[in-house]
Amino acid sequence: MSSLLTTPLARLVTRAGGAVMVGGAGGGIYLYNTDEGMKRSFQAYSTFIPVIAHYRALELTDKYTASVSDEDWEKLDERYAKTTVEKLGGLQGMYSKYGQTAAGLTNTLGDSWIRELRKLENQIPPRPVDVVRRTIEEETQRPLEETFSEFDPIPMGSASIGQVHRATLRSTGEQVAVKVQYPNAQTLFTEDIHAIRLMCEWFAPEQVCTLDQLEKQNKSELDYTNEAKNLLEVGRNMVKHGFSPKECLVPMPFPELTTKRMLIMQLLPGPKLIDGMRAYYAEYAKQQGTTLKRLETIQRKKIEKEGLPSKYEGPSASKLAMYQKVLKARDAIVNNCFIRPYNALAPMLRIFQKSKGDGKSGAEIQLLQTSIPPNTPRIVDTLMRVHGTQLLVDGLFNAGMPFPPCILYFNNFTFDDVVKTLMEATSCCYQMGELA
C-alpha cells in the first residue's frame, strides 16, 4: 500500500484529512466545493462502495451460511444497476470508460447490469453545444460558421471523453461527423484512474489488471490524431484485402481538419449493428408474447447450461438472402397492386357509403411492411472474416466505443441481403505487440 501514498489521490486525501483535523468539517466541505478531484472521488466512493459491500456480503452468505438463489442475485442487480450506471454516466471520464468496458463482461455480470452499462456506449449525458462550439473554435482558430455551413446542436452520440455531431463542411458541402473532446478530459482521467485504482485495490482487487490496460489505452485515446491515423490504416487494409467497399466501409478522416481534440470524418448512414438486431428481436419477442429482456435472459441461461451449439444447422446465408428478397418483393406487389389502388379510391368509397347510409366502409388500409429478419449467417461470416483478417493478418483491429458513426452498422439491414459493416478503427486500436 505504500505506493498509494505517492498518488495524486493519496495526496488529496491527506490534504482533505488535514483540513478536517485543522479546520474542522468546514475545511473538508471547502475542498469538496473547490477541488474537482476531491468532489468526484467523494461522489464515486459514496455511490460505489456500498454497492460493492452489499455484493461482497451476499458472496460471504452464499459461501459460509446459506445458499443464495439466482433470483436473489437478480433482485440485487435490479436494485443497483440503474442508479449506479446513471452515476457512472454523470461522472463521465474514467468512470464512464470503465463502465463501457464492463458492458462486455456478459459472462460475469447479470442481464440488468449489461443492459444498463450498454447505455454508456452512446447515451452519456452530453455537454452543452456552447462547450462544443468553444472547443471547435479553439482548435480551428476561426468561428464555427466558417468551417461548417450546417452544424446539428443535438449530438448523434456521447461517450466518456467526447461527443459526436452531424455537420456539413462549408468548403465541399459534404456531410461529416465531428467528434469533439470534452474540456479537461486529460485531467479528469488522470485523477479518476487513481481514485478507481485505490477503490479496487481495497474492495475489488481482481479488477486492477483491467485498470492497467485502460490506463495505457487512455494515453493514446485522448489524442484524436492517433484515431485518424488508425482510420486511414484500417481503410487501406480493408481495400487491400478486398473487403471494402463491397462488404465493409471505413469512414475516412479529414487530416487537415483533425487535431488532438477534434476529429472530422465521413458520415456514413445506417443503424448500429446492435441496435438493428435488438430492434428486430424486440418485435419478434412481442409477437411471441414476451419481451426482449426476458428472451435474452432465457437464451443466456440456456447457453450457460448447455453451452454454445457445436454447429449451425439453420438455412444458409444464400437461402436467407433469397428469402429476404421474396418478402420484399411480396410486400411491393401487395402494396402497389392492391393496397395503394384501394387507398386511392377510399375517399370515393366513403362518399358512396355515406349516400347509402353506411359509414363503416371506405377506410384506408395500412401498407404491408413485413419485419424482415437479418441474415445472421452472413453477418457472422462477414464479421469473422473482417475481424480475423484485421487481427491475425494486419495486427490492427477496431476496439473502440460504438457511438455514431463508429464500429458496426447495417446498411438498410431490413432490405439489403448484403451486410455493410461500418467500422471505425478508433484510437483504442491495438498493435498485436501491445496485447502480448
Side-chain angles (χ1 to χ4, degrees), residues 255-276:
E256 70 280 5
L257 295 174
T258 296
T259 67
K260 287 187 175 183
R261 298 196 299 155
M262 183 179 72
L263 171 63
I264 299 179
M265 69 187 98
Q266 292 174 327
L267 180 65
L268 302 182
K272 194 167 61 176
L273 174 59
I274 185 65
D275 291 343

Side-chain angles (χ1 to χ4, degrees), residues 421-436:
T421 304
L422 167 60
M423 292 179 295
E424 177 192 2
T426 69
S427 54
C428 37
C429 291
Y430 299 98
Q431 296 294 341
M432 283 292 289
E434 295 182 1
L435 299 178

Side-chain angles (χ1 to χ4, degrees), residues 54-106:
H54 199 161
Y55 275 90
R56 292 303 192 203
L58 203 61
E59 286 179 357
L60 293 174
T61 300
D62 186 56
K63 186 176 182 179
Y64 295 110
T65 57
S67 177
V68 178
S69 66
D70 289 343
E71 288 74 17
D72 291 333
W73 286 112
E74 290 174 2
K75 287 179 181 178
L76 199 62
D77 292 346
E78 289 288 348
R79 175 178 175 179
Y80 287 120
K82 184 176 179 62
T83 55
T84 304
V85 173
E86 285 178 351
K87 175 58 71 173
L88 286 172
L91 288 171
Q92 299 186 348
M94 197 65 196
Y95 296 103
S96 297
K97 174 64 70 176
Y98 194 72
Q100 291 169 343
T101 302
L105 303 177
T106 55

Side-chain angles (χ1 to χ4, degrees), residues 201-218:
E201 289 184 350
W202 277 96
F203 298 99
E206 71 278 3
Q207 298 297 322
V208 173
C209 60
T210 303
L211 282 174
D212 291 337
Q213 186 60 48
L214 283 175
E215 187 172 11
K216 183 178 181 181
Q217 170 185 316
N218 172 56

Side-chain angles (χ1 to χ4, degrees), residues 294-305:
R294 184 60 183 162
L295 189 64
E296 288 177 331
T297 301
I298 293 173
Q299 291 301 317
R300 182 167 291 143
K301 288 184 175 180
K302 181 178 179 181
I303 291 174
E304 289 174 354
K305 182 178 179 180

Side-chain angles (χ1 to χ4, degrees), residues 3 9 18 61 77 93 100 124 128 131 159 210 228 237 239 246-247 259 273 279 312 319 380 386 409 427 429 435:
S3 63
L9 176 64
T61 300
D77 292 346
Q100 291 169 343
I124 290 177
V131 175
T210 303
N237 290 340
V239 172
K246 183 179 179 182
E247 296 177 282
T259 67
L273 174 59
Y312 172 73
K319 287 183 179 179
V380 174
V386 169
Y409 285 71
S427 54
C429 291
L435 299 178

